[in-house]
Amino acid sequence: MVADPSPQWPTVAPLPDGHVATGLLLQMAHRRSRDRLEAALARLGIDVRSFGVLQFLLPGGLSQRQLTDLLGVDKSTLVRVIDRLEEQQLARRTRDPRDRRAFSVTITDQGRRVIASANMAAEEVGEQLFGWLSPQQRRELHQALQRIIQAADPAHPPSGSHSSVIQEPGP
């Protein structure tokens, strides 16, 4: 008899119907996928936050303020991440010549090498987690996630959405 090759996830407690279940499932999926990526990146000496900073720095330098906004972390957390990246010689922080109070952060050549390896590791993790999705399903998932992110920002609700809370149809 051939064993089922699909991954066996631990069972979860019954979830309530509706939006609460969706939110909980999103949180669980995020946590498990982040844990898998953390494990893959740890072999390269970086974590998910460092990966995010290096990823955003690839096209060019950014201010610490821009990185704080992009990553959604507080200033002190970002400073610790950048301190670690500087210690590893993966990023460099310099005073912004246009604003002496601000710092600009750039990726180093070593940082480019590490992010290239990290992207390969992330691609492998992504294939394990999402490889079963068809290209169309992946596009639809991306669109749905982008709309969720947008809906979570009250200043920028998704187009075509209701201005009030959307109610699911009852039983």
Side-chain angles (χ1 to χ4, degrees):
M1 181 174 265
V2 177
D4 180 7
S6 61
Q8 298 299 311
W9 296 101
T11 57
V12 296
L15 295 172
D17 289 333
H19 299 308
V20 172
T22 304
L24 289 171
L25 288 168
L26 278 170
Q27 186 271 336
M28 291 169 66
H30 170 262
R31 175 70 186 264
R32 288 191 180 179
S33 64
R34 184 183 175 111
D35 288 349
R36 294 283 297 273
L37 183 56
E38 284 283 6
L41 295 175
R43 294 189 289 272
L44 299 170
I46 63 171
D47 60 12
V48 169
R49 284 190 174 135
S50 296
F51 176 74
V53 169
L54 293 173
Q55 200 70 36
F56 285 124
L57 293 177
L58 269 176
L62 294 171
S63 71
Q64 286 186 197
R65 169 90 173 154
Q66 289 170 311
L67 286 168
T68 298
D69 293 344
L70 287 168
L71 293 167
V73 297
D74 60 63
K75 292 175 194 177
S76 61
T77 298
L78 181 68
V79 167
R80 285 192 302 275
V81 172
I82 294 171
D83 286 347
R84 196 170 336 117
L85 290 172
E86 281 189 313
E87 288 169 12
Q88 295 174 290
Q89 299 180 350
L90 304 178
R92 184 177 309 110
R93 180 176 22 205
T94 56
R95 289 245 181 238
D96 186 331
R98 297 174 306 264
D99 182 353
R100 293 181 312 157
R101 298 167 296 166
F103 285 95
S104 178
V105 184
T106 56
I107 191 168
T108 63
D109 290 340
Q110 176 65 17
R112 288 183 186 284
R113 287 189 288 277
V114 167
I115 197 65
S117 296
N119 280 331
M120 290 190 319
E123 186 64 34
E124 289 175 17
V125 170
E127 184 59 34
Q128 293 166 2
L129 297 175
F130 312 116
W132 56 274
L133 292 168
S134 71
Q136 177 63 29
Q137 289 171 319
R138 191 172 299 197
R139 278 190 298 278
E140 290 170 359
L141 176 60
H142 289 187
Q143 290 169 351
L145 290 170
Q146 287 170 344
R147 286 183 57 95
I148 291 168
I149 292 165
Q150 191 176 12
D153 183 354
H156 301 96
S159 60
S161 70
H162 303 291
S163 58
S164 61
V165 175
I166 301 170
Q167 299 291 321
E168 286 192 86

